[in-house]
């Protein structure tokens, strides 16, 4: 039986959420910025240690806050499925401090309002636009220490434009999910591939 894992990708406008997802699934990048106005669901499949997983990746439009209740989630079409996602990817632009503050706010709200065991839900903070390294607002190490030590989240930097560390970030997220007990019988993680026919990427 194939298990489905739901991953919500959240971030401020223009940080590259959709670009990251499309690089992972389609190996595609567009120079033209198109704002995400509605929630979009991608359904790739991956093979993890010999087991197949169907991923349900939610490309979430910018939201003012994480839904604090099920009723709020269902009243806002952009938030459908966000509260009960199995994992979260919070994306910010390494050149934009406001986008980092947005991620900081959303992470705190996930911890406060998430249904079930909020402390155990896998959260990966992703700093996109690494190709613009010289314009960053804070050194990588300082951000990494804050996210990993204080927030207790995973941290990866990537460049959606150049497809750099895109596969790594999904491996990192699934690694966190496995380590936190989503699957009890895996001691190591190796994504053998994302089936091309189903829009997956070789890891």
């Amino acid at each position: 039986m194939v298990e489905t894992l739901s991953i919500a990708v959240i971030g401020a406008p223009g940080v590259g959420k959709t670009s990251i997802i499309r690089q992972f699934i389609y190996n595609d990048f567009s120079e033209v910025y198109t704002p995400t106005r509605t929630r979009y669901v991608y359904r790739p499949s991956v093979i993890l240690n010999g087991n197949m997983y169907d991923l349900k990746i939610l490309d979430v439009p910018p939201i003012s806050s994480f839904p604090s209740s099920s009723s709020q989630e269902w009243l806002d079409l952009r938030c459908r499925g966000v509260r009960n996602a199995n994992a979260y990817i919070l994306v910010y632009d390494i050149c934009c401090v406001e986008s980092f503050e947005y991620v900081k706010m959303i992470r705190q709200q996930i911890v406060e309002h998430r249904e079930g065991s909020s402390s155990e839900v896998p959260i990966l903070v992703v700093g996109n636009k690494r190709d613009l390294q010289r314009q960053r607002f804070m050194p990588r190490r300082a951000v990494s220490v804050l996210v990993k030590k204080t927030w207790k989240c995973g941290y990866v930097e990537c460049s959606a434009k150049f497809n750099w560390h895109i596969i790594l970030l999904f491996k990192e997220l699934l690694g966190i999910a496995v380590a936190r007990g989503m699957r009890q019988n895996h001691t190591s993680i190796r994504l053998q591939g994302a089936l091309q026919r189903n829009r997956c990427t070789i890891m």
Side-chain angles (χ1 to χ4, degrees), residues 23-65:
Q23 274 287 24
F24 175 61
I25 300 175
Y26 303 115
N27 196 29
D28 172 65
F29 177 81
S30 173
E31 294 280 358
V32 179
Y33 171 58
T34 304
T36 304
R37 304 192 185 283
T38 60
R39 189 193 68 142
Y40 194 86
V41 180
Y42 297 84
R43 295 183 178 273
S45 299
V46 297
I47 296 174
L48 171 62
N49 288 349
N51 294 310
M52 183 180 289
Y53 295 85
D54 287 337
L55 302 184
K56 179 182 179 182
I57 302 177
L58 308 176
D59 186 358
V60 182
I63 52 179
S64 58
S65 62

Side-chain angles (χ1 to χ4, degrees), residues 10-198:
I10 304 173
V15 297
K17 303 184 309 297
T18 304
S19 294
I20 288 172
I21 297 170
R22 291 189 63 84
Q23 274 287 24
F24 175 61
I25 300 175
Y26 303 115
N27 196 29
D28 172 65
F29 177 81
S30 173
E31 294 280 358
V32 179
Y33 171 58
T34 304
T36 304
R37 304 192 185 283
T38 60
R39 189 193 68 142
Y40 194 86
V41 180
Y42 297 84
R43 295 183 178 273
S45 299
V46 297
I47 296 174
L48 171 62
N49 288 349
N51 294 310
M52 183 180 289
Y53 295 85
D54 287 337
L55 302 184
K56 179 182 179 182
I57 302 177
L58 308 176
D59 186 358
V60 182
I63 52 179
S64 58
S65 62
F66 187 83
S68 59
S69 65
S70 297
S71 59
Q72 182 183 345
E73 176 184 30
W74 286 97
L75 284 172
D76 189 342
L77 292 175
R78 299 171 300 172
C79 296
R80 296 279 172 91
V82 168
R83 279 176 59 81
N84 60 357
N86 298 118
Y88 298 90
I89 295 176
L90 305 183
V91 183
Y92 78 97
D93 176 349
I94 68 168
C95 306
C96 177
V97 66
E98 290 82 8
S99 69
F100 185 74
E101 290 298 322
Y102 177 84
V103 159
K104 179 180 178 181
M105 175 192 74
I106 292 294
R107 186 211 68 92
Q108 184 60 38
Q109 292 174 351
I110 290 173
V111 172
E112 293 173 356
H113 301 306
R114 157 86 186 188
E115 287 186 337
S117 181
S118 60
S119 62
E120 292 300 315
V121 63
I123 299 175
L124 180 67
V125 175
V126 174
N128 189 30
K129 305 189 182 180
R130 180 62 187 270
D131 49 292
L132 302 177
Q133 164 80 3
R134 293 183 179 181
Q135 302 174 36
R136 65 184 311 140
F137 64 84
M138 186 186 298
R140 185 197 64 80
R141 180 170 176 78
V143 180
S144 179
V145 168
L146 172 64
V147 171
K148 291 181 177 180
K149 302 294 185 182
T150 306
W151 296 2
K152 308 298 182 186
C153 298
Y155 182 71
V156 171
E157 291 192 353
C158 71
S159 169
K161 182 175 182 177
F162 292 102
N163 202 8
W164 186 75
H165 279 184
I166 298 299
I167 291 175
L168 175 67
L169 76 87
F170 281 93
K171 289 178 70 173
E172 180 77 11
L173 180 68
L174 291 172
I176 296 170
V178 169
R180 297 195 180 182
M182 190 172 291
R183 295 287 294 182
Q184 301 295 331
N185 48 357
H186 293 303
T187 57
S188 63
I189 179 168
R190 179 167 61 92
L191 243 62
Q192 296 172 325
L195 307 178
Q196 196 60 256
R197 187 165 301 194
N198 287 327

